[in-house]
Amino acid sequence: MLSTRKSNWGRWGESDELGALNHLTPERVLAALRLPKTGKTYSLSIPIQRSGVPNLEYRGIPQRLTLTNHQDEAMARANGGAPGVGANEDQLVMPSHTSTHMDALCHVYADNKIYNGYPADQVTPYSGAAKCSIDKVGGIAGRGVLIDVAASKGVDLLEPGYVITVADLQKALDEQGIELQTGDLVLIRTGWLEDYLANQGEMMPQPGIGLEAAAFLAEKDVALVGSDNAAIEPIPFDQNVYLGGHIILLVEHGIYLVENMNLAELAADRCYEFLLTIGALKITGATASPVTPVAVG
């Protein structure tokens, strides 16, 4: 184990595949519904497209292909459609870990095990993950909290590769007048994505939360951690531990991760506490899903 506290394995039973989302009880969801003050909605995702957004080469570039258009009206006529009536349809070909996406608990393993001790070798080419896949998630609604580390440090963008510490998180929280609660959906702003989209900068290195900061969030019993970078943790990895933050959050504690989040508008409005909703695509056996998180301030 990389973190200092006991893991969440077995906390909600030996057969649990939901992880820290178990914290989102009906009572906590109802409390989150009372948070919005203005009713303003914030879409926290970025476009899914071939260029101009963070895409990792080994994953391949998302493709939107035209399936039917005005050239296929013969199909409409054959089915009784009047002249000038038809349909436009697309085919989408893309990695599950593309654009703004949520990692399932089966995404990363350590010591040959995923969350709750399930074997890591139960992901097959045809069926996908036998345990803890993204289709187990369901709908998510809860108290969202923005921790604007970049603003706390008085910068637009944290330095490439900067390791966010516990002190950094706590300082930002104190300045914002926010205390973390059990089941929170925590979003961390580094400024990296805004800079990348504006300047088409380099993918690597990136700022992100270090191992101690990940353990701190796990200790606070949060349900989800999102960030405006591509890995939540910094790249290069803190203390040279490959996927160390993922291991602490996903594997040890069943805390979901949402990467490449657009937090600029929330930050500009200084909206630090809000209702947050997320719906993952119900892809059987998948290790992740593109998502469009929506905050209501």
Side-chain angles (χ1 to χ4, degrees):
M1 295 294 177
L2 291 177
S3 58
T4 56
R5 64 159 281 168
K6 183 180 178 181
S7 79
N8 281 336
W9 291 12
R11 184 174 181 178
W12 295 286
E14 293 183 358
S15 61
D16 176 54
E17 297 181 57
L18 193 58
L21 291 182
N22 281 292
H23 288 308
L24 295 180
T25 61
E27 293 77 15
R28 290 193 174 106
V29 174
L30 287 173
L33 292 175
R34 296 190 285 269
L35 291 175
K37 301 296 190 296
T38 68
K40 181 176 180 178
T41 59
Y42 301 82
S43 176
L44 307 183
S45 62
I46 61 174
I48 297 175
Q49 58 192 39
R50 292 182 175 92
S51 61
V53 296
N55 286 316
L56 292 175
E57 184 176 351
Y58 85 93
R59 288 176 175 161
I61 301 302
Q63 302 287 332
R64 187 223 53 82
L65 307 175
T66 297
L67 188 62
T68 65
N69 64 4
H70 60 279
Q71 295 178 329
D72 300 295
E73 287 193 8
M75 181 174 67
R77 300 298 82 73
N79 286 279
V85 175
N88 298 314
E89 296 184 17
D90 303 319
Q91 183 178 64
L92 307 179
V93 182
M94 60 187 176
S96 59
H97 296 260
T98 197
S99 186
T100 306
H101 64 273
M102 176 187 290
D103 291 343
L105 297 186
C106 61
H107 171 43
V108 168
Y109 58 89
D111 296 327
N112 295 312
K113 293 181 179 179
I114 61 171
Y115 167 74
N116 218 19
Y118 293 114
D121 62 1
Q122 293 186 342
V123 179
T124 63
Y126 182 79
S127 299
K131 297 290 184 181
C132 298
S133 52
I134 201 69
D135 54 295
K136 305 300 196 306
V137 171
I140 298 172
R143 179 188 186 233
V145 170
L146 173 67
I147 306 180
D148 194 344
V149 179
S152 175
K153 288 188 165 295
V155 298
D156 294 328
L157 167 67
L158 298 179
E159 288 293 324
Y162 181 79
V163 178
I164 296 173
T165 67
V166 175
D168 292 333
L169 295 180
Q170 193 61 63
K171 179 175 180 288
L173 286 167
D174 291 343
E175 291 170 349
Q176 296 170 186
I178 296 290
E179 292 186 6
L180 293 180
Q181 301 173 8
T182 297
D184 279 349
L185 312 173
V186 177
L187 312 182
I188 299 166
R189 178 174 172 268
T190 70
W192 178 83
L193 182 62
E194 294 162 55
D195 180 76
Y196 182 92
L197 294 177
N199 302 310
Q200 293 300 286
E202 298 294 327
M203 278 288 292
M204 311 299 176
Q206 297 180 18
I209 61 170
L211 300 181
E212 291 182 0
F216 167 79
L217 294 171
E219 289 280 355
K220 294 294 185 180
D221 271 338
V222 305
L224 176 148
V225 177
S227 185
D228 62 348
N229 72 346
I232 307 294
E233 52 191 310
I235 301 175
F237 296 107
D238 185 22
Q239 302 177 39
N240 293 316
V241 180
Y242 179 65
L243 293 173
H246 283 63
I247 293 170
I248 291 171
L249 296 169
L250 276 178
V251 181
E252 294 182 2
H253 294 91
I255 296 171
Y256 289 79
L257 305 181
V258 180
E259 297 163 340
N260 290 323
M261 298 189 74
N262 184 357
L263 305 178
E265 192 175 7
L266 277 178
D269 287 354
R270 298 184 180 181
C271 184
Y272 302 127
E273 184 184 31
F274 40 86
L275 169 68
L276 181 63
T277 64
I278 305 174
L281 298 175
K282 222 168 183 59
I283 310 168
T284 303
T287 64
S289 168
V291 292
T292 300
V294 175
V296 185

